[in-house]
Each structure stands twice: as C-alpha cells, then as structure tokens.
Amino acid sequence: MKKNIAIKVENLSKQYRLGEIGTGSLSHDLNRFFAKIRGKEDPYSIIGQTNDRTATAESDYVWALKDINFEVEQGEVLGIIGRNGAGKSTLLKLISQITAPTTGAIKAKGRIASLLEVGTGMHPEMTARENIFLNGAILGMTKKEIKAKLDEIIDFAGCQLYIDTPLKRFSSGMRVRLGFAVAAFLEPEILIVDEVLAVGDAEFQKKAIGKMKDISAGGGRTVLFVSHNMASVINLCTTGIVLENGQITFNGSANDAVDCYLKNSTKTSNNRKWDLVNAPGNEKIKVTEISIKESDGKTNFTIDSKLTLSYKLYTQIENATLGTTIVIKNSKEDIIFSDGAIIASDRNSKKGFYFVQVNFPYKILNSDSYSIDLIVGENRRYALLNEENILNFEILFGGNIKHDKKLPGIIYQELNWSIKHSEEV
Amino acid sequence: MSKQWDIIIQPKRNVLDINLKQLYKYKDLLFLFVKRDVVTIYKQTILGPIWFFVQPVLTMVIYVFVFGKIANISTDGIPQPLFYLSGIVMWNYFAESFNQTADTFTKNANLFGKVFFPRLIVPLSKVLSALIKFVIQFLLFLALYLYFLFNTNVIHPSYLIVLLPILLLLMAGLGLGFGLIFSSLTTKYKDLKFLIQFGVQLLMYATPIIYPLSTIPGKYQFWIKLNPITHIIETFKSIFLGSGQFSTNGLLYACVFTLFILTLGVLIFNKTEQKFMDTV
C-alpha cells in the first residue's frame, strides 16, 4: 500500500518557561552556556512537567507538547481537537514555523500556509485592493499570482463597490470576508486553519466551509483544522486527533475523535464542584455545585435525552428576594432559551444552601455544544452573580428520534404532519 | 516512495543556514512593505511628502543658530547651511535605518505570531523605505548645493563623487547591522530599548556632523576615527564639498567594520527569529 504522506511529525515536543520571562533568564542563559561549553546537557531540558492546568507548578518549565507523532496523508482533512490549553495552538504554531520546537521534527511536502487569523498584516489606511496584495504577499503569494486571481477574490469577498476605499471604513465583518477571500485563493499544498470560521455571518460561513471542502477535495490539498465546534469538525474533517495535556490521546477518524473527546470532556465539565473558599461568586452568594445529568444516567447526551440541571447555591444574604436565571447558548453563542425562578420570595431569604433543580425540554436541543450562564439576582433588580459558561455540555446526534442525519436549525423539532391524497382537484 | 521533503522543521538550525532562496521568493512582499511604509505615513495630511523636507530644514536652521552662531564651531570655510545639511541628510539615513529596524521583533510580534515569512524581509523593507526618504532629502541638499556651487567658489567637488552609492551602502549596512543585533537582543532584554533611544543621539555627537574632523585635537582623533561613520561622513564632505579628510584606509576600515556588523547582525537575527515568539 502506497501512502502519500504530506506531513510527518516525529517526537515533537515544545517546552515553555512558566512564570515571568525575564526574571532570572540571564542567569539561566549563563547556566546553559556553561553547561554547553563543558559539553553537558542543557540543565533545563531534563526537568519540566506535563501541561496540566489543574496541577500546581513544580518546576519552572512546562512541556506544552510532549512526544507528538502523527502523519497526515495528502488530501486528508485533519481535525485537531482538545480542551483550552491542551496544546492545539502550540502545535499549529510549530507547523506554521512561527516558533521552533524544543525537540523532534516536522517534515512536509509543498508549501504550508497558515490561517491562524484572517487579514493578518492588513493596514487600515490602505485601500481594499492594496490590502489584498499586501495580505496575499504576507501569506506567500507572488504579485503575479494575486493579480491573476484578483477578480475572483473581490467577487468572493463581495466588496466590488468598496475596492478603492480605505480598509478603516470597512465593518469588521467585511474585513474578515476580505481576509478570508485572500486566503481562500492561496492554493498552498498544506493549509492550516485555526477557528477562523467562527466569524462572519451565516451566509459567509457556509461559503467559507464550502470553499474549504473544495480545497481538500478538488485540489488534493491537505488541511489541518482546529476547532471547538464539533459539528464543523465532523462536517469537514476526515480524520482527527485529540490532544490532552500536550499529548495525543486519540488518533483516528474524525467521528471517533469527536466521540472520544466528548466522552472525556463531559466527565469534567458536566459536573463541577468547588469547596466554599474557591467557589465562583462573591461574598454574598456562591455556586458550590452544578451538574447536568441524564435521567438514565448516560454520559453521552443525545437529542432525546431527558436532561436535568441541578445546582447548589450558598448565600449569606438574609431577608432578600432572590431569583435565579439560566441562559442556554449554542456553540455560536446564540441564546437558545432562558428561564428563571424565584428562590426566596417576599424578602425571606435565609443563610445557607439552596438546592435548585430544573428539567430541560427534550427533543428541542439540536446536536451541538452548549454552555450555560447562571445568574442570581436580588429583589428583581440587582445581579448578585453572573457566571458565564459555568457549565458546558454536548448533545450528540442520535437517540430515539425520527431522523438519521443531522438537520440544519438552531433547535430540533419534530412536527406533526398530515398528508392526504386525492385524484381530483 | 521517495521521501523528498520540501520543508523540514527542526529545533536548531545551523548558525550559517540562511535561506536566501526563500528570501528571494518573497521579494514582492519586500516591495509591498516599502509601498505600505511610504504611502501610509502621510495619508490624510495636507503637505504629504513635503514633511520629509521640514525636519532636515528645521534641524539645519537650529544647528546654524546654536552651533554656528552661538558656539561658533568652525565649518572649515564651508557655508554653514550646506555643511550642516550634508551631515544631517547622511546621518538621517543611518539613524532612520537603525531606528526603524531596531524594534523589528517587538513591533511586529503580532504579525510574526500569526504567519510565517522570512523575517529578514521586514528590516530590509525598512532600509529601503529609509532610502526613499533619503533620496527626497538628498534632492533638498542638492538644490542648496548647486546654489552655493554656482554662487560661491568655496566648494570643490571631486570626481570621486561616484563613490556616493558605496557610502550609502555602508550607511545602510551599518544601520541594518546594528538594527538587527539590537532587535534580536531586545526580544529578551527589554532594557536595551532605553539605550537605543539616546544611544543614537550620543553617537551623533561622536561623529563629525556638527563639527569637522579637522577641529578635533590630535589625542581625541583616534577615538573619533574608531567610529566607522566618521569616515563615511568625512568622505561625503570631501567628495562633495572638498573640505573633509578623505582617507582610503579609513574608508576600508568602514567597509570591513560594516561587513562584520552586518554579518553578525544577520546571524544573530537568524537565530533569534526561530524562537523569539516564546520570549517577546
């Protein structure tokens, strides 16, 4: 079996210094230098701990990535998923040559173009046309290449009218469109994309995703895609890797990678507990526990899951009227719904714990990732507590439902249909 | 299956591994950066590029007043405005090349953190932009020069005027070389930023800009001549005005010095660009 490998990553590691760089860096440099001239190993490369946010610092150095190995075939779309700080961005930075690895090597065939941000280097005082050339050149195109594609780029961005207007007069959405349009016509052999699709309006996102699919399918190009949006990973990628604490914990098909990631992430963010000192909130009110559970105890939520959200509040306030509200948002930060209830009415709140439990409607939330904001207010007027994204959960496509494929829509809804047939008018 | 990799990314590059081919591939970017620098500086200004004239003219007027009229420093018989302006225009090219390149990493951290291209393109573009600014200011000098050339008989140009491009190359090389070294060091040790600010100012007084080298007492001449820019400025004054000290050895010294600083700068810069994102 002949495989055409586009990128090969071997034993890749990246070490970062913890704490403030600069303090003591001169002495570390000198230590390194003396070790080097005595022919010894770098005294700081031996130590260093794994990239685990929850651990406390034991040494000054941390491995943001440790011993990463994987291969990407030509034409493959690889999704890289992982929690915040798992090392995704570091990996992309290494592959796009923004910073050098500490050990290991990356080997690639063809030109690599990275899209860690759209419109990099654009200058607000210059016109859209000038900026297309500047941005294209920064991304590695020659003037000739840009000239040949100029009309297509302008067309894709949809800004014919403003082509000779300075960029500073553009809305931020228009700037993003322009930036993405340039990148879309870049035609590198390897394209690296970091969640840039999270911007722009729906129509443009669709266009951008379609374009990315074309890039990999039509041109045999390889795409590396990092996203928190599981739906677009499944939609776009053929394979996936999951990063956790700087190491690869899964490498396989995109669907399996997403499943694996969700299984691991739900353990921690579906159910959160704090002790009274560290609990989020303030002196007046704190959240000490919050969890979302399925009635059958399943950890994978699907569209038909009957979900119950429960949380525990600790309050010091007496003789107040307390109310609580939850806001459910999807991965695009659209608010799906919000609702609230009175915890203590008629100014009779008491010190201590309040246990809140609320059942979600089922077969409403479409498959997506969701986050919950928790708000507690006093006397219907003051917000005592507003914890954004206090809990995250994912709804997978599946369960006992009518459809076998994810349907578009912010919510999921099965309707009652009635159909009659007649041969006459 | 052939294992022909186009790109291999490894922890440490060889010190001498400078990818000139890659640099050449990005030449369009170089010129677009120059265009950006020149076009955007004076957008939404009324006078536009005329501002390039204002700074040297005002500086010259102040020098004539302070150093010429009050301090009474000799100009070797050369009309004061012309003497000062020749020094200012040349010095500006060095200072601009140096100042604009010395903060390459810190100023472009945002850009460098998002996309890869040969980092050397940025300082090179700054030196080219400075050259455009120099040419405009040089025209001003030329106008004044021709006026004095035809109206007085104190100016004696030499056929060695053809050396001007070499002088410019030396100025650019020194500015770029020092700029590259400082930009690399400031990524880690930000203290240097403060040094640069007044360092350039001090260096100007150690260069025969506001005084001719001939007025310096013998025992200090050695120190002033250690400064390679001294020889460049003196050569410039000698070939255009016929007043400075033209010394082949001095010019050779300046050439060797420039080559050394430029090589050192490129090597240090090349080493820094791989990892500076972690420290900046």
Side-chain angles (χ1 to χ4, degrees), chain B residues 250-268:
Chain B
L251 206 56
L252 270 179
Y253 165 71
C255 286
V256 173
F257 194 97
T258 305
L259 213 61
F260 172 73
I261 285 294
L262 192 58
T263 314
L264 188 69
V266 171
L267 292 182
I268 294 181

Side-chain angles (χ1 to χ4, degrees), chain A residues 352-413:
Chain A
F353 291 96
Y354 282 93
F355 300 88
V356 185
Q357 210 172 58
V358 54
N359 295 322
F360 281 13
Y362 67 105
K363 291 197 182 181
I364 285 277
L365 294 177
N366 209 342
S367 96
D368 198 353
S369 55
Y370 293 90
S371 55
I372 297 177
D373 297 348
L374 175 60
I375 301 156
V376 178
E378 182 185 358
N379 299 340
R380 295 172 188 268
R381 242 190 263 169
Y382 311 107
L384 291 173
L385 176 109
N386 187 354
E387 284 296 321
E388 290 188 7
N389 304 328
I390 192 164
L391 198 70
N392 301 302
F393 63 97
E394 302 260 349
I395 303 263
L396 298 175
F397 184 82
N400 183 19
I401 50 170
K402 195 167 127 190
H403 302 282
D404 53 6
K405 212 173 110 196
K406 185 185 170 181
L407 293 184
I410 290 176
I411 59 165
Y412 177 89
Q413 201 47 266

Side-chain angles (χ1 to χ4, degrees), chain B residues 42 50-61 63 83-101 126-141 167-168 170-176 200-201 203-205 207-210 229 232-233 236-237:
Chain B
Y42 296 114
I50 295 175
W51 283 110
F52 283 136
F53 290 134
V54 174
Q55 186 262 342
V57 168
L58 286 183
T59 315
M60 179 195 74
V61 169
Y63 283 3
F83 182 87
Y84 293 129
L85 193 63
S86 67
I88 292 166
V89 168
M90 280 303 273
W91 177 260
N92 271 357
Y93 185 42
F94 166 78
E96 182 82 4
S97 298
F98 175 70
N99 281 329
Q100 292 294 324
T101 48
K126 292 293 179 194
V127 172
L128 280 185
S129 313
L131 183 65
I132 291 176
K133 200 170 163 185
F134 169 81
V135 168
I136 295 174
Q137 296 187 349
F138 188 73
L139 289 178
L140 175 75
F141 165 77
L167 298 185
L168 290 183
L170 289 177
M171 280 301 215
L174 280 173
L176 180 63
V200 175
Q201 203 80 32
L203 188 63
M204 193 190 85
Y205 290 105
T207 313
I209 304 288
I210 49 167
I229 307 173
I232 303 170
I233 297 283
F236 182 83
K237 283 179 177 165

Side-chain angles (χ1 to χ4, degrees), chain A residues 3 5-6 8 14 16 21 25-26 29 94-110 112 114 116-117 120-121 123 125-126 130 133-134 137-140 142-143 168-169, chain B residues 1-12 22 25-26 28-29 31-33 35-37 39-40 43-44 110-117 119 188-189 271 273-280:
Chain A
K3 280 201 285 183
I5 306 293
K8 191 182 167 88
K14 178 73 187 172
Y16 277 116
I21 291 166
S25 65
L26 185 60
D29 284 353
L94 294 180
I95 299 177
S96 23
Q97 300 183 63
I98 283 158
T99 184
T102 311
T103 64
I106 301 162
K107 293 167 183 172
K109 266 182 211 159
I112 301 179
S114 47
L116 305 190
E117 179 188 75
T120 312
H123 197 289
E125 292 285 353
M126 287 169 53
E130 288 169 325
F133 279 96
L134 185 63
I138 286 175
L139 292 171
T142 63
K143 225 171 171 174
K168 61 179 176 182
R169 311 255 177 265
Chain B
M1 187 179 127
S2 68
K3 284 270 172 194
Q4 207 59 55
W5 304 107
D6 296 315
I7 301 168
I8 296 179
I9 304 166
Q10 273 172 329
K12 266 176 195 150
Q22 197 185 43
K25 262 191 199 161
Y26 277 85
D28 285 339
L29 181 60
F31 294 115
L32 282 165
F33 272 146
K35 188 180 165 194
R36 178 192 69 181
D37 288 346
V39 170
T40 55
K43 278 229 173 169
Q44 280 198 13
N110 211 4
L111 179 60
F112 288 177
K114 295 295 180 197
V115 63
F116 171 79
F117 55 87
R119 304 320 192 197
K188 213 163 186 186
Y189 307 107
K271 184 131 182 59
E273 72 169 24
Q274 302 173 55
K275 289 206 176 170
F276 93 100
M277 271 321 293
D278 306 342
T279 49
V280 74

Side-chain angles (χ1 to χ4, degrees), chain A residues 53-85:
Chain A
R53 274 181 301 154
T54 52
T56 48
E58 282 157 18
S59 86
D60 274 355
Y61 291 85
V62 67
W63 289 103
L65 286 177
K66 186 103 175 109
D67 297 327
I68 301 288
N69 284 288
F70 66 90
E71 287 178 349
V72 190
E73 276 178 64
Q74 200 196 330
E76 204 175 293
V77 184
L78 176 76
I80 300 169
I81 46 187
R83 263 186 290 162
N84 285 333

